[in-house]
Amino acid sequence: MSALPCPVVDPFAAADQAYATITEFLRSEETQQVKHSELERQLEGMGRELMRKLLQAHLDMRQPGKAVEAVRDEAGTTLTPTPVHARSLESIFGEVEVARAGYRAAGTPSLHPLDGALNLPPEKYSLEVRRRVAIEAAKSSFDEGVKTLEGYTGAHVPKRQFEELVIRAAQDFEAFYAHRQAGARADPLAASILVLTVDGKGVVMRPEDLREPTQRAAAARAKTFTARLGSGRRLHAKRMAAVAAIYTVEPYVRTPEEILPDSPALRETGSARPRPEHKRVWASLAQSPEAVMQEMFDEAAHRDPKGQKRWVALVDGNLPQIDHLQQMAEERNIPLIIVVDFIHVAQYVWKAAGAFFPNQELEADRWARGRLLEILRGKASLVAAGVRRSATLREMAAAERKPVDDCADYLLNYSPYLQYDKALAEGVPIATGVIEGACRHLVQDRMNLTGARWSLTGAEAVLRLRALRSSNDFDAYWEFHEQQEYERHHASHYADHRVPETVPSVASSSRPSPRGRLKIVRKEEKS
C-alpha cells in the first residue's frame, strides 16, 4: 500500500476524545448503580482502546520518518526515496497503522528507516506481543496461551501463528548464553562448591521427529495389532530430552546420623541448609546428551576460570553419563567428584529390606536404616557382601532374593561413587533434588500434557523459554533478543550497520502535558 502521509494537526485528538468519553461515562447517572466488577470490565475495554489510540497518535506523529541523511544499503549503494508505504502492526492494545518513507535502488527491496527507529519486526505482531506469547507458551498449552492473550490484551494471534512466534522468540537462546559467558567474570563471593548435574526425560513426539532408532522401533510395533491396542500405546513414541543444571552452594557438613535420625523429631536441628545459588537449568531435545554436558562444562568453566572451586557432579547412576562426565573432566584436567544420588541407593536397599521382611514394616525399616547408615559411612562394599551373605544363610529362593542381589550388585558396581563419608565430611551435597525438580518442572509439567505430540522445533523452543524463566534469565534474555532483532532486520541492511536518523513530516505539537513531561525510565535507571 502506498500513499502520501496525511498532515495531522493534532495526532492526539482522537485519544483526547476517547479519554473524554471515558470520564463522561464515569460521571453519568447510569454508572452510579453499576457494580464494581462490571465497572472494571467496562473500563478495561475502554482503557485498552484509549491506549491503542494513544499509540496510533504517537506513530502518526513520527510518520513518515524521512531520513535526515543519504540512505545507503549494506553494499554502500545510495538509495532513492519511494512513495510512503503503510503497514499494520498488531500491538497488545490492538491493531495500528505505521506510515513510513521507503528508500530503494533498482533490483533491491525497499528499506524503511522508521522501521529501524521503532525496531519493528518483519511480521505483523509487535515484539511486545511476541514477549507475551513467549511467557504464555512457557506456562501452558498453546490453546490456553491463545485464549489468555486474547482475554488480557488487544492482540489476536491464531494458534498456528502463536507457535511460529514461540519459535522466533526462542531463537537467540544459545547466543544469549554465549554472549553472557564471554563477558562474565568470576564472582568472588559465590559459594565454594560448584555442582553439575544431568538427567533425561522423555517427551512424546510426532513420528517424523523421533530419533532414527526410535522411529524404526515404532514402525515395527505399529505392525502388531495387539500391541497397538495394548497398554503401552506410547511405547517408542518419546524422544529423550537431556536436562542439565548448574549451581553453586556453600559446604554443609553433616554426619550420617543427622541424615537418618532415630526419629523424625531428631531431624537436622543445626544451622539452616544452604540454598543453591546462581542456579541455571535447561533442557534440549535437539542436542545430544554429550553436547548438553559439554555446554554444562563450558558454563562451569566460565564461573570458575581459575579452578578455585570444588567441582561435584551429581548423577542417578546412568553409566554412559558417568563415563562422559569422567572423560570431559579428564580432557579439561578438572578434579571432578562424581556422587551417585543417595535416594537412588536407598531405593535398592528398601527393596532388599522388603525381600527380607515381607509385610513387616517396622523390621524392614530398622534393617534398612542400619544398612543405609553404613553406606553413609563409606562401607557400601561391606554392606553388599553382608546382604548377599544373609540371603544365602536364609536359603532364600532365587526369585525371593532377586531384590537382594540387585541391591548388592548396585552397591558394588557404583562403590567408587558412593563415598558418602568423604562427601559429608567436606560438606558436599549427595542428592539430585535440583535436577529431579528440573526434569519435572521443565519437561514433565509442560511437555507431557494429555494428548500432546510435539514437533522438534516447537518443543525445543518451549523448553528454552521455560529454562529462561526457571533460571530467572528471561528479562535479560528478552533485552538481548530485541537487540538481536534490531541487528538482524534493520542495522545489518544499512552501510556501517547504522540506521539513518529520521524526522516526521511536521513538527509535533508543543502543547505541554497537564501533569508535566513523562520520562522513559530504562531498567538501569530503576536500580
Side-chain angles (χ1 to χ4, degrees), residues 3 12 24 32 35 96 109 117-118 122 133 165 177 182 191 217-218 220 224 250 257 275 338 362 378 476 479 503 515:
F12 291 93
E24 183 180 346
Q32 300 306 310
K35 301 291 191 297
V96 292
L118 292 167
V133 166
L165 293 184
Y177 281 108
T224 308
E250 292 290 352
E257 289 74 19
R275 304 292 297 172
I338 298 179
L362 291 178
E479 187 175 346
V503 293
R515 294 182 181 234

Side-chain angles (χ1 to χ4, degrees), residues 13-160:
D16 288 343
Q17 181 59 49
Y19 178 76
T21 300
I22 294 174
T23 56
E24 183 180 346
F25 165 73
L26 293 173
R27 290 192 183 105
S28 66
E29 291 185 8
E30 63 182 291
T31 61
Q32 300 306 310
Q33 305 301 320
V34 175
K35 301 291 191 297
H36 85 279
S37 57
E38 178 61 26
L39 196 60
E40 283 184 280
R41 287 190 286 270
Q42 290 272 4
L43 277 175
E44 182 182 23
M46 298 172 76
R48 191 180 295 158
E49 177 60 14
L50 171 60
M51 294 297 104
R52 191 195 69 79
K53 289 183 176 179
L54 285 169
L55 177 59
Q56 182 66 69
H58 178 81
L59 296 173
D60 289 343
M61 188 180 70
R62 293 175 70 168
Q63 72 174 2
K66 292 181 179 179
V68 299
E69 58 189 289
V71 178
R72 295 183 297 121
D73 64 16
E74 57 187 314
T77 304
T78 300
L79 309 181
T80 57
T82 67
V84 172
H85 295 81
R87 59 160 292 180
S88 62
L89 181 71
E90 187 84 3
S91 76
I92 58 171
F93 309 120
E95 188 172 307
V96 292
E97 293 287 322
V98 186
R100 66 269 203 272
Y103 296 82
R104 64 170 298 177
T108 65
S110 296
L111 295 180
H112 303 89
L114 184 57
D115 285 7
L118 292 167
N119 195 17
L120 297 183
E123 73 271 355
K124 176 182 179 180
Y125 304 100
S126 74
L127 287 174
E128 181 57 23
V129 168
R130 188 192 289 179
R131 189 179 75 89
R132 304 290 180 93
V133 166
I135 292 172
E136 293 305 322
K139 292 193 300 186
S140 59
S141 71
F142 291 162
D143 287 328
E144 285 299 316
V146 169
K147 292 178 183 177
T148 300
L149 192 71
E150 188 164 343
Y152 292 95
T153 75
H156 303 279
V157 184
K159 182 178 177 180
R160 182 173 180 180

Side-chain angles (χ1 to χ4, degrees), residues 149-221:
L149 192 71
E150 188 164 343
Y152 292 95
T153 75
H156 303 279
V157 184
K159 182 178 177 180
R160 182 173 180 180
Q161 283 73 27
F162 190 96
E163 184 173 358
E164 290 174 354
L165 293 184
V166 169
I167 294 170
R168 293 182 188 180
Q171 65 183 311
D172 294 313
F173 179 85
E174 292 178 345
F176 167 71
Y177 281 108
H179 174 78
R180 194 172 74 170
Q181 287 177 1
R185 294 182 179 179
D187 183 359
L189 301 178
S192 60
I193 296 177
L194 184 60
V195 180
L196 300 79
T197 178
V198 290
D199 205 344
K201 192 70 177 177
V203 176
V204 178
M205 306 294 290
R206 295 173 183 171
E208 63 271 19
D209 286 320
L210 294 170
R211 289 190 170 93
E212 270 193 44
T214 313
Q215 284 185 359
R216 291 194 296 270
R221 179 177 173 79

Side-chain angles (χ1 to χ4, degrees), residues 225-430:
F225 180 73
T226 54
R228 293 202 305 275
L229 297 178
S231 59
R233 290 188 300 274
R234 285 196 168 184
L235 189 64
H236 308 310
K238 291 186 176 183
R239 182 175 178 131
M240 291 299 293
V243 187
I246 183 168
Y247 59 93
T248 52
V249 67
E250 292 290 352
Y252 186 47
V253 178
R254 291 168 293 168
T255 65
E257 289 74 19
E258 287 176 312
I259 294 177
L260 295 175
D262 287 327
S263 68
L266 298 176
R267 293 197 180 279
E268 303 167 27
T269 57
S271 59
R273 179 192 297 271
R275 304 292 297 172
E277 303 172 355
H278 310 296
K279 181 173 67 175
R280 180 194 165 194
V281 297
W282 71 102
S284 178
L285 284 157
Q287 291 181 301
S288 66
E290 295 78 18
V292 171
M293 281 188 269
Q294 286 285 5
E295 186 178 347
M296 181 177 65
F297 271 85
D298 290 341
E299 176 81 15
H302 284 283
R303 295 188 181 203
D304 183 32
K306 297 183 180 179
Q308 297 175 328
K309 300 186 185 299
R310 198 66 184 269
W311 290 39
V312 179
L314 292 174
V315 297
D316 64 0
N318 184 304
L319 286 175
Q321 202 176 79
I322 292 173
D323 290 340
H324 288 305
L325 288 170
Q326 287 179 325
Q327 181 181 350
M328 292 175 190
E330 290 172 2
E331 290 172 353
R332 297 170 183 246
N333 196 27
I334 295 169
L336 181 68
I337 301 172
I338 298 179
V339 179
V340 167
D341 174 41
F342 178 67
I343 304 303
H344 280 74
V345 176
Q347 291 172 350
Y348 279 88
V349 175
W350 268 108
K351 290 178 182 178
F356 281 126
F357 304 98
N359 303 318
Q360 300 177 61
E361 186 174 331
L362 291 178
E363 289 80 358
D365 181 82
R366 191 179 302 112
W367 184 92
R369 180 177 179 274
R371 274 64 190 173
L372 290 172
L373 283 173
E374 289 301 298
I375 293 171
L376 288 171
R377 292 171 184 140
K379 300 178 181 178
S381 297
L382 293 177
V383 171
V387 297
R388 208 188 297 275
R389 185 166 53 251
S390 295
T392 301
L393 292 174
R394 296 182 186 212
E395 298 182 347
M396 298 175 68
E400 293 176 340
R401 65 175 290 164
K402 186 178 185 305
V404 177
D405 289 330
D406 288 345
C407 176
D409 291 341
Y410 189 90
L411 294 175
L412 290 173
N413 292 336
Y414 290 97
S415 58
Y417 316 110
L418 307 182
Q419 299 180 33
Y420 297 123
D421 53 331
K422 296 180 181 179
L424 294 177
E426 296 177 8
V428 169
I430 61 172

